[in-house]
Amino acid sequence: NLSSDTDFSGIKERTLIAVKPDAVQRRLVGEIIKRFEQRGFQLVGLKMLQASDKLLSQHYVSLQRKAFYSSLLYYMTSGPVVAMVWEGPNVVRSSRLMVGDTDPATAAPGTIRGDYCLHISRNVVHASDSVEGAQREISLWFHPSELVDWDVCDQKNIYHL
Ligand code: UDP
């Protein structure tokens, strides 16, 4: 688990973004990374992995009773996932807005889901839905040693410091 002294407040807020297997297959990894980079968020963790049932059952623990749960795990283990941790002010809320509604049918054009998918069960990307949820998910997907603390050289152009 992440050390409890990690500061997630203010500009150090972090979120888990995962490019799901359908988006990896569709060569959308670069497109999705590009949107977060261009917005000004800072990449602090990145890896490709074949997610295990164990990891996903912890990640989606709140959905275990849903009818779609087993097909969700099948989907999420159907190929590699690209997991990322992005950092910046209000990154949790902003990235949910950038990703769009869970159901692509109601995701606004301009959002990732609104631009790249059509069906709720193939909705290309995951984004944590709260700061607490993000901390929990980051500690599931990443070892603390896989997260990099580094300074962006032009921070004053992005943040009002
Ligand atoms: N999902 C699905 N069918 C549904 C609802 C959700 O297949 O009716 C899948 C979908 O991939 C979604 C994931 O389960 O992204 C997690 O659902 P959640 O409600 O947490 O949505 P999210 O936070 O991903 O927008």
Side-chain angles (χ1 to χ4, degrees):
N1 284 344
L2 283 177
S3 60
S4 56
D5 61 4
T6 305
D7 179 18
F8 288 96
S9 63
I11 67 170
K12 290 292 185 186
E13 187 173 300
R14 289 177 171 180
T15 197
L16 180 81
I17 302 296
V19 182
K20 294 179 172 182
D22 52 333
V24 175
Q25 290 287 347
R26 293 173 56 200
R27 305 174 180 85
L28 291 172
V29 175
E31 176 58 37
I32 290 169
I33 290 176
K34 185 180 81 173
R35 290 179 179 227
F36 289 91
E37 276 197 316
Q38 288 185 340
R39 187 78 192 269
F41 291 122
Q42 188 180 347
L43 185 62
V44 296
L46 172 72
K47 63 179 171 186
M48 175 181 255
L49 72 161
Q50 173 65 51
S52 66
D53 283 337
K54 183 179 175 216
L55 170 61
L56 291 165
S57 65
Q58 293 173 297
H59 177 78
Y60 285 129
V61 67
S62 66
L63 300 178
Q64 273 170 7
R65 289 167 188 273
K66 300 282 187 188
F68 60 82
Y69 178 74
S70 59
S71 61
L72 174 60
L73 258 61
Y74 178 82
Y75 160 46
M76 290 297 293
T77 56
S78 66
V81 170
V82 175
M84 302 179 274
V85 178
W86 287 90
E87 183 177 289
N90 302 308
V91 67
V92 172
R93 183 173 153 71
S94 290
S95 58
R96 291 287 291 189
L97 292 170
M98 291 164 68
V99 164
D101 282 0
T102 303
D103 187 349
T106 52
T111 65
I112 295 170
R113 287 169 174 164
D115 286 350
Y116 293 110
C117 57
L118 292 171
H119 198 277
I120 193 168
S121 67
R122 297 290 183 272
N123 62 358
V124 299
V125 67
H126 169 80
S128 308
D129 69 357
S130 66
V131 172
E132 300 70 34
Q135 292 178 30
R136 188 184 74 84
E137 292 172 3
I138 290 166
S139 69
L140 286 174
W141 288 76
F142 285 88
H143 189 271
S145 66
E146 295 177 306
L147 301 177
V148 183
D149 264 319
W150 60 288
D151 292 324
V152 176
C153 63
D154 65 347
Q155 244 173 5
K156 69 180 189 320
N157 292 315
I158 297 170
Y159 306 138
H160 182 81
L161 293 175

